[in-house]
Amino acid sequence: MLDKIDSLISQLEAAIDEPNLEKALNLDRKLLDEIKATDEISLHENATYFLSVAAKHQNIINKVDDLKKQSFKNITQFNKNQKNIKKYQNV
């Protein structure tokens, strides 16, 4: 069970770098379902493990946020460049 969660975390980290984020979303859902499927006893026994899983997941979320911000910045710069090109073409 814990191996499956580790595997899903690794797959999720790899999927973030792929152009299709749908795969990453599906893996994230699977990870959540897998954690929900663990029974209460297992959660309490492996609390430190699940804290590390939560930290890894938070790092992945932070990476996605950074990618999102960078994409927005790139789009903004692209639009600015397009306006400048049009302005100089009309001169």
Side-chain angles (χ1 to χ4, degrees):
M1 166 94 133
L2 300 180
D3 291 337
K4 187 171 183 180
I5 291 175
D6 283 334
S7 172
L8 286 170
I9 286 283
S10 297
Q11 290 175 31
L12 182 58
E13 286 175 324
I16 295 300
D17 295 328
E18 295 178 8
N20 182 4
L21 289 180
E22 190 64 34
K23 180 179 178 183
L25 290 173
N26 288 335
L27 287 168
D28 193 46
R29 285 186 203 107
K30 286 180 185 178
L31 179 63
L32 181 61
D33 291 342
E34 193 66 32
I35 291 172
K36 285 180 180 178
T38 58
D39 57 11
E40 288 293 318
I41 295 170
S42 179
L43 284 174
H44 291 297
E45 289 175 358
N46 299 304
T48 55
Y49 170 76
F50 283 106
L51 286 173
S52 72
V53 168
K56 289 177 187 176
H57 189 263
Q58 186 62 47
N59 288 337
I60 293 170
I61 290 172
N62 292 343
K63 184 176 179 180
V64 169
D65 284 343
D66 291 344
L67 290 171
K68 185 176 162 184
K69 288 175 186 173
Q70 185 62 41
S71 294
F72 181 74
K73 188 176 177 181
N74 291 345
I75 290 170
T76 303
Q77 184 62 45
F78 175 80
N79 289 336
K80 185 177 175 183
N81 291 345
Q82 290 297 100
K83 287 180 184 177
N84 286 336
I85 288 172
K86 287 180 183 177
K87 184 168 63 173
Y88 290 115
Q89 284 177 342
N90 293 329
V91 172

